[in-house]
Amino acid sequence: MSPEFSEQTKKKIKEVISRYPRMEASLLPVLHLTQQEFGYLPEEAERAVAKMLRIKPVRVREAVTFYTMLHSQKKGKYHIQVCSNLTCSILGAEKLIDYLRNKLKIEPGETTADSKFTLSTVECLGACEAAPCMQINFDYYGNLDKKRIDSILESLD
Amino acid sequence: MKEKILTKNFGLKNSFKIDVYLEKKGYTAVRKALKEMTPEQILDEVKKANLRGRGGAGFPAGVKWSFVPDVDKPKYLCANADEGEPGTFKDRYIMAHDPHLLIEGVIITCFCVGIHHAFIYIRGEYEAVALRLEQAISEAYEKGFLGKNILKTGFKLDITVHRGAGAYICGEETGLLESLEGKRGYPRLKPPFPASIGLFQCPTVINNVETLSNVPAIILKGADWFCQQGLPGDGGTRIFGVSGMVKNPGIYELPVGTSLRDIIFKHAGGMKEGKTLKAVIPGGMSAPILRADEIDLKMDFDSLVEAKSMLGSAAIIVIDEETPILEVLKAVAKFYSHESCGQCTPCRIGTSWINKIVKRLVQGKGEQEDLKAILRLANNILGKTLCPLGDAAAMPISSIVEKFNDELESSLIQ
Ligand SMILES: Cc1cc2nc3c(=O)[nH]c(=O)nc-3n(C[C@H](O)[C@H](O)[C@H](O)COP(=O)(O)O)c2cc1C
Ligand code: SF4
Ligand code: FES
């Protein structure tokens, strides 16, 4: 079964492909758009992308398994990615990760039973001036402490 | 009088909009370059300016451009905006606050080298910044600074923003090329260098965002002026990104050669209340660590090599006495074992073994032999890998174990 892309995404994909001198070079942007559409990259989506870009499905699989931002598994509605690299660690990231583990009752890599939150630890987010920090979906949050985490999570419905 | 080159517009309202940029005499360098200068003159000026690469290795930009052969193939420019080096966040500031500065630098570079398609490879996490760049690029097309007939000179150029998807190795220039071709970011064997065989087997220039953003000022004010802002052989300013246990973490644009002690204690406000300095990583995580008594040095490429460290991306990570050195070692070991692409054995196995040993140390189960084993493993990576990530892992790890041996030994089982 081939997944249904919305007309809008199809249009965007076409536009993105046109920006590259070779079609296969648009693989990452097309996968970003596809993941945006379905929330993750199921196998059928990988195949559909391979067909669109006229490349072998294995090429798409290679990319999906290499890049940490591309996932074959569904994530929660909010993907909380806490930086555990050096600057954030110095400023207490580990305690915050423990706090989130207890608060959400999941380990890094897991999703809550209601599919609302997925917790991950990531390497440096490139926002060390605001350490400790995290990214939720595409938004950055810096200068974290437990109180701030509480209020951020409360603001998400 | 030293001036700001890269961050001068950051405080302005809507600094990222083209109208504000034009009001501040933006795009006059492009006019001058395209209308009054030949590509050869531009190349000469940039060479004379001793603009050294801001991405890590410090290679002179003008020299790199001169390696591009005159062949009958398309040529490409890749602006490296992957910014994955832990501690580094300066390119994000340039792109978010003054994207037109980068675009102007890209246009002049492309005109100089004869390039008609440039890519900006930006790390995937910077989605909001990528959007801002795209908006800036469409403004530049509208005003005739990009497209088929730039400023009616007949020069044509397109810029494509390309988002990565989370892999540090894609910041390495040939990993970046592979990634941009739609593949895993496995670095290529060099030579051939990208300048002759790069993207789609065509000649390709790869420069860091900050490097390219210096080009407009060099064109407008000249190489001599640029050298005066920094050092004769290492011109201009650097955006130092300071993070860790300091009062005011953030970016500081200062002349190349500014003292490390001054950056930390004058510009970044010194240590946080009640903290004392233990160590500094002066050039992103790949740079060997410095002890607190080693920070009286000038921040330029050559001085740091002399100090057996590295200026790298000029990202300064400040570590305080209360932070166990084992925590630093743990973060470094974890990072490289996670980011090794796995293509070559010394790096793949070496980084993961070191990481395992360090985990054991953290659990309080370390033995005398372990510290030696870490040094031996690091030494077996050094110089024996396909890309510089291997060295980038081995050097800081050895430096931590060597310089803080006493503290590490005290954490071992006696
Ligand atoms: C593992 C690794 C990661 C790198 N990451 C980056 C990066 O994120 N950004 C960057 O500009 N250069 C990075 N570099 C350096 C690039 O390979 C390359 O030297 C640089 O982009 C060239 O530009 P420059 O001469 O203007 O500095 C990295 C190098 C290595 C070995
Ligand atoms: S040195 Fe490491 S990162 Fe570089 S190619 Fe080899 S395995 Fe990959
Ligand atoms: S170390 Fe956490 S954002 Fe850089």
Side-chain angles (χ1 to χ4, degrees):
Chain A
M1 199 191 77
S2 136
E4 272 311 310
F5 286 84
S6 66
E7 284 308 313
Q8 201 197 2
T9 302
K10 276 194 219 158
K11 215 174 109 196
K12 273 194 199 157
I13 289 179
K14 230 170 134 180
E15 197 272 323
V16 147
I17 293 175
S18 76
R19 294 184 201 168
Y20 291 84
R22 297 204 193 162
M23 221 172 180
E24 69 268 24
S26 62
L27 179 60
L28 284 187
V30 170
L31 285 175
H32 278 306
L33 287 168
T34 308
Q35 183 161 286
Q36 223 172 48
E37 174 103 2
F38 303 110
Y40 70 118
L41 294 165
E43 199 178 320
E44 307 85 70
E46 282 183 11
R47 287 183 181 279
V49 168
K51 211 165 144 191
M52 262 186 257
L53 301 183
R54 301 193 198 118
I55 54 179
K56 292 207 181 90
V58 64
R59 287 278 309 280
V60 182
R61 173 60 59 88
E62 276 175 0
V64 173
T65 51
F66 184 79
Y67 296 98
T68 54
M69 289 177 70
L70 303 176
H71 7 264
S72 331
Q73 241 91 54
K74 267 206 171 102
K75 300 276 170 197
K77 184 173 178 198
Y78 298 104
H79 187 187
I80 306 176
Q81 301 172 277
V82 189
C83 175
S84 63
N85 204 288
L86 184 54
T87 301
C88 288
S89 299
I90 295 174
L91 294 164
E94 201 143 331
K95 281 198 199 97
L96 298 179
I97 294 164
D98 283 343
Y99 182 69
L100 277 162
R101 283 170 52 215
N102 287 326
K103 189 176 165 88
L104 302 173
K105 301 195 173 54
I106 49 174
E107 292 301 309
E110 294 177 353
T111 302
T112 52
D114 61 359
S115 300
K116 187 165 176 191
F117 297 110
T118 299
L119 179 64
S120 306
T121 60
V122 290
E123 296 301 342
C124 180
L125 287 167
C128 330
E129 80 279 25
C133 62
M134 66 180 177
Q135 188 174 16
I136 302 183
N137 298 344
F138 278 108
D139 296 321
Y140 274 59
Y141 300 90
N143 302 312
L144 296 175
D145 54 26
K146 290 175 189 167
K147 246 171 81 190
R148 204 166 127 65
I149 288 183
D150 285 343
S151 74
I152 292 164
L153 294 197
E154 265 157 41
S155 72
L156 303 172
D157 59 334
Chain B
M1 242 288 282
K2 312 270 180 180
E3 292 172 45
K4 292 216 184 335
I5 299 171
L6 301 158
T7 57
K8 59 183 190 302
N9 292 338
F10 282 17
L12 303 174
K13 190 165 172 243
N14 289 330
S15 62
F16 54 90
K17 294 242 163 97
I18 199 163
D19 294 337
V20 176
Y21 190 66
L22 287 169
E23 215 168 276
K24 292 288 159 191
K25 299 211 168 59
Y27 288 112
T28 37
V30 155
R31 270 180 217 284
K32 181 172 173 192
L34 269 58
K35 292 187 182 233
E36 296 165 27
M37 292 174 82
T38 63
E40 293 73 27
Q41 284 170 330
I42 296 173
L43 185 64
D44 270 354
E45 208 61 35
V46 174
K47 272 190 183 166
K48 269 202 317 201
N50 290 319
L51 167 62
R52 297 181 66 170
R54 272 46 170 161
F59 196 81
V63 177
K64 188 186 280 187
W65 302 355
S66 70
F67 290 155
V68 176
D70 192 14
V71 288
D72 190 23
K73 273 187 185 176
K75 299 173 198 160
Y76 297 105
L77 172 75
C78 298
N80 191 343
D82 197 50
E83 195 148 78
E85 180 72 27
T88 315
F89 43 86
K90 66 192 176 68
D91 297 336
R92 191 187 92 232
Y93 274 87
I94 297 179
M95 295 184 285
H97 294 276
D98 207 354
H100 288 287
L101 186 66
L102 170 63
I103 296 170
E104 189 170 11
V106 167
I107 302 169
I108 299 169
T109 306
C110 289
F111 176 70
C112 175
V113 186
I115 293 168
H116 303 292
H117 197 161
F119 294 88
I120 301 177
Y121 188 107
I122 182 169
R123 65 178 294 176
E125 292 85 350
Y126 286 176
E127 197 203 25
V129 185
L131 261 175
R132 182 163 279 183
L133 262 180
E134 286 189 343
Q135 280 158 2
I137 288 169
S138 18
E139 286 179 331
Y141 271 105
E142 270 165 35
K143 300 265 185 201
F145 296 114
L146 287 172
K148 291 201 165 47
N149 185 11
I150 297 173
L151 299 174
K152 305 203 173 66
T153 59
F155 178 63
K156 87 186 240 307
L157 175 66
D158 289 309
I159 301 183
T160 302
V161 176
H162 183 93
R163 269 178 65 216
Y168 170 62
I169 197 59
C170 295
E172 194 280 333
E173 54 187 17
T174 58
L176 183 151
L177 295 176
E178 288 287 303
S179 176
L180 193 44
E181 290 181 2
K183 293 178 265 181
R184 288 183 161 196
Y186 287 145
R188 298 176 184 168
L189 195 62
K190 287 187 272 190
F193 290 94
S196 46
I197 298 186
L199 190 62
F200 312 121
Q201 304 290 312
C202 297
T204 304
V205 171
I206 301 158
N207 273 127
N208 171 258
V209 165
E210 185 185 348
T211 311
L212 293 165
S213 301
N214 275 297
V215 173
I218 294 173
I219 294 306
L220 276 185
K221 300 184 172 174
D224 294 336
W225 174 86
F226 190 76
C227 286
Q228 280 160 23
Q229 305 310 302
L231 301 173
D234 194 343
T237 58
R238 286 296 297 247
I239 302 183
F240 295 100
V242 188
S243 71
M245 218 36 103
V246 287
K247 275 206 191 94
N248 306 314
I251 53 158
Y252 297 91
E253 183 183 358
L254 296 163
V256 168
T258 302
S259 126
L260 177 55
R261 179 179 297 281
D262 284 354
I263 297 175
I264 297 172
F265 285 96
K266 288 205 183 126
H267 300 282
M271 300 298 288
K272 272 195 206 303
E273 206 55 50
K275 305 284 180 183
T276 48
L277 183 67
K278 175 186 220 155
V280 180
I281 294 178
M285 193 178 255
S286 307
I289 201 163
L290 300 169
R291 285 189 314 258
D293 60 355
E294 293 177 311
I295 63 166
D296 287 296
L297 44 82
K298 285 196 204 162
M299 290 292 275
D300 60 88
F301 282 106
D302 300 338
S303 303
L304 275 156
V305 170
E306 224 167 278
K308 298 203 168 49
S309 186
M310 194 173 95
L311 182 59
S313 61
I316 299 167
I317 306 173
V318 178
I319 301 157
D320 65 309
E321 275 295 353
E322 284 164 46
T323 300
I325 203 68
L326 202 46
E327 192 168 321
V328 179
L329 185 60
K330 181 177 118 185
V332 178
K334 171 171 78 72
F335 177 71
Y336 288 106
S337 79
H338 185 259
E339 299 297 337
S340 165
C341 83
Q343 266 195 117
C344 32
T345 317
C347 171
R348 181 185 65 243
I349 308 283
T351 54
S352 81
W353 272 15
I354 292 174
N355 192 36
K356 274 188 200 153
I357 297 174
V358 172
K359 273 191 189 159
R360 194 155 69 222
L361 298 182
V362 171
Q363 289 163 354
K365 296 181 191 154
E367 295 175 20
Q368 246 342 295
E369 209 25 60
D370 284 340
L371 296 180
K372 288 195 196 113
I374 294 174
L375 288 175
R376 201 166 54 236
L377 284 163
N379 198 38
N380 277 332
I381 300 173
L382 201 66
K384 299 178 188 68
T385 58
L386 201 152
C387 93
L389 184 137
D391 291 357
M395 292 183 313
I397 288 173
S398 310
S399 74
I400 294 170
V401 174
E402 280 163 0
K403 289 191 182 172
F404 292 91
N405 197 59
D406 291 353
E407 184 183 332
L408 288 171
E409 278 197 347
S410 69
S411 70
L412 302 174
I413 303 175
Q414 295 304 321

